[in-house]
């Protein structure tokens, strides 16, 4: 055991250890997900998070040390979000036709996301700062953290809630939409993007490129609208 501990100490100090481990865990999670017929509860992001948390806990590794090694993945979040414009551009003609239903769905989705967060917070008796941290939970992490900081929430807590929201949406979103009899990739994709941001968009791309394109649109528009809507609601309700 002492020998194994010494080996781990040596490996832990190796550059890019946590980046390589994260990529390997996610690749294995993807293989498991595909081999078992894309079972919703085996979503690769969910499985990867659980496995990495177990590894960090078992090795006593602080999250800050993990992030220092794997932060390149965090850096890629920005370029990956911008790259969603590529499939979206192919749907430009359809977007002009669907502008009215898109506007209605976006407004309803954004209001529902924020209102549900407020209702949950009030029901659970959460303190003001925690409640404010919950409000932007349905938008992509960089926007959500910026909004939380602006209104007096905790950006770090908001980031955790955003990830949990995205994983939940990715796991239950498509099955729930199917159960409701919604099969149009436009409807599925846009709903996933508005409700579950980037993680939901990745799941939508597994469904089809068209669904992924509209999911990217929903994610982007919801981020912009929420950034305007949340501070306004905070002011109106005096939170």
């Amino acid at each position: 055991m002492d020998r194994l501990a010494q080996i781990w100490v040596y490996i832990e100090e190796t550059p890019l250890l946590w980046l390589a481990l994260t990529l390997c865990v996610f690749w294995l999670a993807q293989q498991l997900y595909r081999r078992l017929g894309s079972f919703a509860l085996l979503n690769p992001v969910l499985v990867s998070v659980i496995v990495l948390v177990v590894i960090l806990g078992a090795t006593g590794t602080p999250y800050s040390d993990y992030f220092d090694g794997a932060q390149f993945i965090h850096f890629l979040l920005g370029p990956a979000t911008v790259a969603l414009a590529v499939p979206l551009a192919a749907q430009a003609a359809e977007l002009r036709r669907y502008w009215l239903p898109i506007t209605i769905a976006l407004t309803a989705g954004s209001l529902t996301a924020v209102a549900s967060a407020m209702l949950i917070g009030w029901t659970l008796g959460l303190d003001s700062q925690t409640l404010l941290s919950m409000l932007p939970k349905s938008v992509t992490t960089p926007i959500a953290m910026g909004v939380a900081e602006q209104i007096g929430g905790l950006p770090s807590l908001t980031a955790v809630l955003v990830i949990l929201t995205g994983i939940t949406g990715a796991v239950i979103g498509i099955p729930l939409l199917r159960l409701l009899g919604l099969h149009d990739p436009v409807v599925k994709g846009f709903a996933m993007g508005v409700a579950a941001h980037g993680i939901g968009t990745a799941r939508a791309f597994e469904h089809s490129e068209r669904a992924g394109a509209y999911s990217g649109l929903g994610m982007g528009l919801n981020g912009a609208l929420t950034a305007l809507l949340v501070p306004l609601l905070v002011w109106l309700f005096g939170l």
Side-chain angles (χ1 to χ4, degrees):
M1 290 299 295
D2 290 341
R3 182 61 177 167
L4 288 175
Q6 292 173 2
I7 292 173
W8 173 252
V9 169
Y10 172 76
I11 292 175
E12 190 178 21
E13 295 176 352
T14 304
L16 304 182
L17 165 67
W18 294 110
L19 174 62
L21 185 61
T22 300
L23 294 175
C24 287
V25 168
F26 184 73
W27 182 82
L28 290 172
Q30 278 191 315
Q31 302 310 306
L32 178 66
Y33 181 66
R34 290 168 181 165
R35 290 283 180 88
L36 296 180
S38 300
F39 181 54
L41 291 178
L42 293 177
N43 180 273
V45 175
L46 175 60
V47 172
S48 298
V49 168
I50 293 173
V51 171
L52 289 170
V53 167
V54 170
I55 292 173
L56 292 178
T59 58
T61 304
Y63 175 76
S64 56
D65 291 351
Y66 165 78
F67 185 78
D68 286 342
Q71 61 181 316
F72 183 64
I73 296 176
H74 179 75
F75 165 77
L76 291 176
L77 180 63
T81 302
V82 174
L84 291 172
V86 176
L88 190 59
Q91 310 293 334
E94 281 195 10
L95 289 178
R96 286 191 288 271
R97 287 206 311 268
Y98 292 146
W99 71 268
L100 181 57
I102 283 176
T103 301
I104 295 172
L106 172 65
T107 304
S110 295
L111 286 172
T112 299
V114 177
S116 64
M118 293 175 66
L119 183 60
I120 291 171
W122 285 335
T123 301
L124 296 177
L126 300 179
D127 62 83
S128 177
Q129 192 172 48
T130 303
L131 175 58
L132 292 172
S133 303
M134 288 183 62
L135 297 184
K137 65 179 175 54
S138 293
V139 301
T140 188
T141 306
I143 297 176
M145 293 179 70
V147 172
E149 185 174 15
Q150 177 187 358
I151 62 177
L154 294 171
S156 56
L157 176 58
T158 298
V160 173
L161 294 170
V162 167
I163 293 171
L164 290 175
T165 300
I167 291 175
T168 302
V171 169
I172 69 173
I174 296 296
L176 178 60
L177 291 169
R178 286 175 181 159
L179 185 64
L180 294 173
L182 301 172
H183 303 289
D184 189 331
V186 173
V187 175
K188 287 183 177 179
F190 195 78
M192 291 291 287
V194 170
H197 52 82
I199 300 176
T201 297
R203 179 70 180 90
F205 268 110
E206 294 178 9
H207 184 269
S208 72
E209 183 172 329
R210 193 174 179 212
Y214 277 90
S215 186
L217 174 67
M219 179 180 70
L221 292 178
N222 188 41
L225 182 57
T226 300
L228 299 172
L229 186 62
V230 168
L232 177 61
L233 291 176
V234 169
W235 176 73
L236 287 174
F237 287 92
L239 297 176

